[in-house]
Amino acid sequence: MKAIAASIGVVVLSPLLLAGTAMMMATTSQAQTTTSFHACIGDIDTDAVAKQVTRILDGASGKDVKVEGLTLPEEQVPNAQTIVATGLSLEVPKRGQIVALATAMQESRLRNLGSGDRDSLGLFQQRPSQGWGTAQQIRDPVYASERFYQELLKVSGWQQMTVTQAAQAVQKSGYPDAYAQWEPLATALQKAIAATFPGGEKDKSAKDGDQSKNTEIPASGCGPSEDGSSYGRIPEGSVPKGYTIPKDADPKARAAIAWAMHQLGTMYQWGGTCTAAHGPDPMGRCDCSSLVQQAYAHASVKLTRTTYTQVNEGKAVSRSKLQPGDLIFSRGTAQRPEHVGMFMGQGLVIEAPKTGKPVRITPLKDWAILAVRRVL
């Protein structure tokens, strides 16, 4: 593997590639700052993207090949190639390369920018004032990619995080949820580009932080067509105007959601059983796991008591395939999450959040999802 990595490293750092990136730096126009990069690209045909990118890598002009999700493929594909090649040379697992590509898509649209917010520069909009390197170094795509990977590999448990969580742990962006939308495109780019390098298709998982073989890391792309943001601010304990339980949801999911909604406004109680949330005994109130347990109990579905065990209930599903009634887990790790809520459809989640807060409905966009389980 070291020999393969060394050969890839030669490709990455070769004078021809560096010359090519220098030419791209010279021709790259100044672009808008990241604050305007928010539009979700939705689902894409990853196989089609891989084929289109492969054509460009095989010598076809980027001006003649349309790549879904890319507006300037003749510039963006070579930059993506540099990011992947650098990751391979450093033996960064496939998932880390996808995180890097998604980050660069959000920060610069895979363009080697000469400006940005304050002193931000380059593919990852790294800032000299924040210790990322000199302006000249950051404008070198190889250097910028290496620095991103160095910081990513320092993040404890990054392989168990969603793409957006891992990217945010490195970037500390003012728009922490924005990286998620680029995961499908980043995945397609990595697949196509890695296949052009010797051994590039063989993934090398990190030695310390291998994800569980039985636990799915959910895709964190755009997810459902709605993320709840259209409802605006939702007053705690209330049902947002316009929401109704989806009629096409599983009948048991509908019953569980309806029961949980009757607990809205009752105060959280850690360790509470959720058997008498409106009563005088605090221990009859709900915590996060007892809320979903009792909601499903009233739909004749038996669940275990804690988030640590509920994360193993039913089957794992991707965030992109959420259905009403699915359990959503956050905080902690994918294997040992510390919080659970129930997806209600229409981009909303019902939860018992924490001490001092009532049972409430929150938009999906506010959730950093670690795992999703379908218990029906």
Side-chain angles (χ1 to χ4, degrees):
M1 181 61 194
K2 291 292 185 182
I4 294 175
S7 67
I8 295 172
V10 171
V11 174
V12 175
L13 300 173
S14 67
L16 286 175
L17 181 54
L18 291 177
T21 55
M23 289 177 63
M24 284 188 286
M25 284 190 276
T27 58
T28 298
S29 63
Q30 305 305 308
Q32 56 193 320
T33 63
T34 59
T35 56
S36 61
F37 294 164
H38 292 296
C40 181
I41 63 171
D43 294 330
I44 65 169
D45 185 337
T46 55
D47 289 335
V49 169
K51 290 178 181 178
Q52 294 157 351
V53 170
T54 299
R55 286 183 59 195
I56 294 175
L57 295 175
D58 286 342
S61 171
K63 295 181 179 179
D64 300 327
V65 179
K66 303 296 183 183
V67 181
E68 186 179 0
L70 300 182
T71 54
L72 295 168
E74 69 274 17
E75 180 179 351
Q76 294 164 306
V77 170
N79 283 331
Q81 184 181 39
T82 299
I83 291 171
V84 172
T86 304
L88 290 171
S89 71
L90 296 175
E91 298 189 347
V92 176
K94 172 184 174 181
R95 187 165 183 80
Q97 297 166 39
I98 292 172
V99 172
L101 288 167
T103 301
M105 278 301 308
Q106 171 58 26
E107 298 292 353
S108 69
R109 290 297 192 271
L110 275 173
R111 303 178 68 192
N112 194 18
L113 302 180
S115 66
D117 180 40
R118 287 168 285 190
D119 58 338
S120 300
L121 299 167
L123 290 173
F124 298 93
Q125 288 291 278
Q126 295 156 332
R127 299 177 59 192
S129 64
Q130 299 298 311
W132 287 95
T134 66
Q136 182 178 6
Q137 287 175 321
I138 292 172
R139 290 295 305 282
D140 175 355
V142 175
Y143 173 89
S145 299
E146 288 179 339
R147 285 290 289 116
F148 179 86
Y149 286 128
Q150 288 168 5
E151 295 305 311
L152 175 65
L153 295 176
K154 292 178 184 178
V155 177
S156 177
W158 69 268
Q159 281 192 285
Q160 281 72 51
M161 297 178 181
T162 62
V163 165
T164 196
Q165 288 173 319
Q168 175 62 5
V170 176
Q171 298 294 103
K172 299 177 175 59
S173 167
Y175 300 90
D177 299 320
Y179 303 104
Q181 62 187 302
W182 302 110
E183 183 174 353
L185 179 57
T187 300
L189 290 172
Q190 194 280 336
K191 176 182 178 181
I193 294 169
T196 67
F197 293 101
E201 293 179 288
K202 296 180 180 179
D203 189 25
K204 182 178 178 62
S205 296
K207 296 178 180 179
D208 301 315
D210 239 359
Q211 60 204 48
S212 168
K213 294 181 181 179
N214 299 318
T215 303
E216 175 183 329
I217 302 260
S220 59
C222 295
S225 58
E226 298 180 47
D227 63 2
S229 57
S230 61
Y231 288 104
R233 180 181 175 276
I234 303 173
E236 290 188 336
S238 68
V239 178
K241 185 178 180 180
Y243 173 79
T244 56
I245 301 174
K247 293 181 179 179
D248 58 351
D250 185 288
K252 291 185 177 181
R254 286 175 54 84
I257 293 169
W259 188 89
M261 289 174 65
H262 283 296
Q263 317 313 313
L264 285 169
T266 61
M267 297 304 292
Y268 175 97
Q269 174 62 51
W270 186 86
T273 62
C274 204
T275 54
H278 295 274
D281 182 1
M283 297 311 296
R285 299 173 189 166
C286 311
D287 64 12
C288 64
S289 55
S290 65
L291 174 66
V292 299
Q293 181 194 41
Q294 290 302 313
Y296 266 113
H298 284 76
S300 300
V301 177
K302 185 177 180 180
L303 297 182
T304 52
R305 174 64 181 85
T306 70
T307 57
Y308 307 136
T309 54
Q310 288 173 356
V311 75
N312 297 313
E313 300 273 9
K315 65 179 181 179
V317 294
S318 168
R319 167 178 172 161
S320 64
K321 301 183 184 300
L322 272 173
Q323 294 180 6
D326 286 348
L327 304 187
I328 299 176
F329 297 86
S330 67
R331 306 175 196 165
T333 66
Q335 288 73 33
R336 194 172 175 80
E338 298 173 0
H339 188 55
V340 63
M342 184 189 300
F343 184 60
M344 304 171 63
Q346 299 181 27
L348 298 175
V349 184
I350 189 165
E351 63 169 346
K354 60 182 179 179
T355 301
K357 293 289 185 178
V359 174
R360 65 186 183 184
I361 294 172
T362 53
L364 188 64
K365 69 179 183 63
D366 290 349
W367 284 69
I369 299 175
L370 295 174
V372 179
R373 305 294 295 193
R374 183 162 298 150
V375 298
L376 295 176

